[in-house]
Amino acid sequence: MKSKFEYNRTAITEFILLGLVETPDLRPVVFVVFLLSYLLTVGGNRSILAAILVEPKLHTPMYFFLGNLSVLDIGCITVTIPSMLARLLSHKRTVPYGACLTQLFFFHLLVGVDCFLLTAMAYDRFLAICQPLTYSTRMSQTVQRILVAVSWALAFTNALTHTVAISTLNFCGPNVINHFYCDLPQLFQLSCSSTQLNELLLFAVGFIMAGTPLALIVTSYAHVTAAVLRIRSAEGRKKAFSTCGSHLTVVAIFYGSGIFNYMRLGSAKLSDKDKAFGIFNTVINPMLNPIIYSLRNPDVQGALWRVLMGRRPLA
């Protein structure tokens, strides 16, 4: 018979994801709802991307970044939802250790790029409104590509750092994750090693990955607000603010749900509330972005209509 010490040293090779609901009767409902949400999100973001590609009016830096954001939204929901749907169909809730870390890596990679991309979009609005005379040179195609490339490089470094750090922890049991995808807070709760350094690393890197971009976004929009308020005509102020409203809405939802998701790190028990924040991060945000950006934008609406109807773009 194994001693307690020997049992605790046994390595876990797979985790059990409880998913969103444990009641069998509710699983078909959850499957249909999230399948429709996935199809709507992928379809909406692909439509936005197609509209940007085919409509000459949308070949501007702002829509270049928006197209990249649509690609990220498709990737973010694809990392988590299809595997959850597959588990609902197969009634198999286990996920291999390696697959869990892989999902964690790609999730943090895509979310990290999202942080920096939203910052680049705020910088674009700052240049367009506050420094219009130098906008075309300071936001050239080369600058746009550099900003996107740097965003991917920094996010890759962040995701790799957290994945390597979590792989150094020991998992001896239990192996049940009360969530529908693998993420750092849930894995910290299951580790039989000390996670103090990992949590410090998460907060330190999180300050760089989220705090710094958020500070830059706030600074950019403080200058934008001051510049817009100096515009004498009410129509001019309305037009300037309308180009920023959609982006600010996306920023508020993205950072709001992200902060609440990780601010409870270190709590004694992670509850079902964390699943709700997880749904915001992986489903609601990517699904709302196409709606938010097209709702009050006649150029995007017109381009989407022409894409859906198969009409040629206007010259």
Side-chain angles (χ1 to χ4, degrees), residues 27-249:
R27 288 173 188 169
V29 177
V30 172
F31 179 86
V32 172
V33 169
F34 278 84
L35 176 61
L36 292 176
S37 299
Y38 178 74
L39 295 176
L40 180 63
T41 301
V42 173
N45 280 286
R46 288 186 64 179
S47 298
I48 290 285
L49 190 59
I52 292 171
L53 290 174
V54 304
E55 177 59 62
K57 284 185 179 180
L58 303 183
H59 293 173
T60 63
M62 180 174 69
Y63 294 109
F64 171 77
F65 293 128
L66 178 57
N68 279 272
L69 188 65
S70 293
V71 173
L72 288 175
D73 288 338
I74 293 172
C76 192
I77 196 171
T78 301
V79 164
T80 55
I81 299 305
S83 59
M84 184 195 79
L85 296 177
R87 284 191 295 272
L88 285 172
L89 276 180
S90 64
H91 303 288
K92 182 180 179 183
R93 298 188 293 178
T94 58
V95 56
Y97 174 85
C100 189
L101 293 193
T102 300
Q103 185 181 57
L104 184 148
F105 169 81
F106 281 104
F107 177 72
H108 281 268
L109 171 65
L110 295 170
V111 170
V113 179
D114 223 331
C115 285
F116 291 112
L117 199 58
L118 290 173
T119 308
M121 295 173 77
Y123 177 62
D124 172 74
R125 293 298 84 206
F126 163 74
L127 290 180
I129 295 175
C130 299
Q131 301 181 11
L133 297 179
T134 60
Y135 176 71
S136 59
T137 55
R138 299 182 70 174
M139 191 52 74
S140 63
Q141 287 189 357
T142 301
V143 172
Q144 296 169 41
R145 291 166 183 165
I146 289 174
L147 288 173
V148 172
V150 170
S151 298
W152 278 97
L154 292 174
F156 177 84
T157 303
N158 169 67
L160 186 63
T161 299
H162 286 308
T163 305
V164 171
I166 201 76
S167 67
T168 63
L169 299 178
N170 294 321
F171 295 94
C172 315
N175 65 338
V176 178
I177 299 176
N178 186 23
H179 215 297
F180 62 97
Y181 66 93
C182 296
D183 202 4
L184 293 173
Q186 290 74 31
L187 291 177
F188 287 167
Q189 291 288 323
L190 296 181
S191 175
C192 53
S193 306
S194 172
T195 61
Q196 185 175 5
L197 290 178
N198 296 76
E199 292 179 16
L200 288 174
L201 177 66
L202 178 61
F203 283 117
V205 177
F207 178 79
I208 299 172
M209 292 294 299
T212 303
L214 184 58
L216 292 174
I217 291 172
V218 171
T219 302
S220 295
Y221 276 109
H223 286 89
V224 167
T225 302
V228 171
L229 291 177
R230 289 195 293 267
I231 299 175
R232 294 185 177 181
S233 76
E235 187 64 27
R237 289 196 298 269
K238 182 180 178 181
K239 184 177 180 180
F241 274 128
S242 67
T243 63
C244 305
S246 299
H247 181 248
L248 282 173
T249 303

